[in-house]
């Protein structure tokens, strides 16, 4: 009897932390959120989130996006800054500036950007072989 109420509350918490912009919806402005985003419509502006951003096949983002991870099937134009992984499916179209930790691209995706990858820097010796990892720490 009491467990049913707990299940309903947990389901409400999970669904309320995801923001959905449906197909046919156009939003203009700046957005800040701690939850995840699913974008199937159009967003013009700046998005800042600590959650994951998923842009569906019909989705389009024009502006800047700052977050941890993003998964694109749709289009993006602007500045994309991620501390985690950018995943591009074959239908993705990305143009602009990109700063990411990791990048995953399926064949067929369009990736017309200037890209900077943050993370561990590996030094090369004169023969072109990797020597070790530069961590920025001193003994």
């Amino acid at each position: 009897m009491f467990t049913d109420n707990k299940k309903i509350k947990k389901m409400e918490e999970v669904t309320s932390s995801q923001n959905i912009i449906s197909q046919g919806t156009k939003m203009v402005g700046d957005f800040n959120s701690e939850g995840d985003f699913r974008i199937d419509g159009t967003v013009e502006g700046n998005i800042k989130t600590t959650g994951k951003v998923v842009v569906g096949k019909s989705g389009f983002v024009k502006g800047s996006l700052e977050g941890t991870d993003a998964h694109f099937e749709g289009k993006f134009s602007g500045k994309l800054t991620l501390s985690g992984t950018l995943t591009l499916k074959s239908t993705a179209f990305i143009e602009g500036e990109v700063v990411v930790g990791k990048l995953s691209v399926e064949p067929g995706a369009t990736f017309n950007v200037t890209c900077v990858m943050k993370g561990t820097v590996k030094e090369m010796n004169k023969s072109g072989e990797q020597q070790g990892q530069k961590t920025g720490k001193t003994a």
Side-chain angles (χ1 to χ4, degrees):
M1 168 169 35
F2 292 108
T3 58
D4 290 339
N5 290 337
K6 288 180 183 177
K7 287 181 184 178
I8 291 171
K9 281 185 180 180
K10 284 184 180 182
M11 286 175 42
E12 287 174 359
E13 288 174 10
V14 170
T15 56
S16 66
S17 67
Q18 184 174 20
N19 302 288
I20 300 172
I21 300 171
S22 301
Q23 186 174 359
T25 302
K26 179 178 180 180
M27 298 187 77
V28 178
D30 298 341
F31 304 96
N32 292 321
S33 175
E34 292 183 12
D36 297 343
F37 270 96
R38 166 113 190 150
I39 301 170
D40 290 311
T42 301
V43 175
E44 291 182 15
N46 304 312
I47 300 171
K48 187 173 183 179
T49 181
T50 55
K52 180 180 179 180
V53 176
V54 176
V55 178
K57 286 183 182 180
S58 61
F60 176 60
V61 178
K62 182 176 182 180
S64 70
L65 173 61
E66 187 177 331
T68 52
D69 296 314
H71 179 95
F72 277 89
E73 294 181 54
K75 297 179 181 179
F76 178 85
S77 179
K79 184 171 183 180
L80 180 60
T81 306
L82 301 173
S83 60
T85 304
L86 171 61
T87 304
L88 304 178
K89 293 297 188 179
S90 61
T91 57
F93 179 90
I94 310 295
E95 63 182 5
E97 298 177 43
V98 174
V99 178
V100 295
K102 294 179 183 177
L103 178 64
S104 172
V105 183
E106 280 188 1
T110 303
F111 193 60
N112 295 325
V113 301
T114 57
C115 184
V116 175
M117 294 189 70
K118 300 284 184 177
T120 306
V121 177
K122 295 182 181 179
E123 291 183 1
M124 303 288 236
N125 63 18
K126 290 183 182 180
S127 65
E129 296 176 9
Q130 292 178 352
Q131 280 184 333
Q133 296 181 352
K134 182 179 179 181
T135 60
K137 294 181 182 177
T138 57

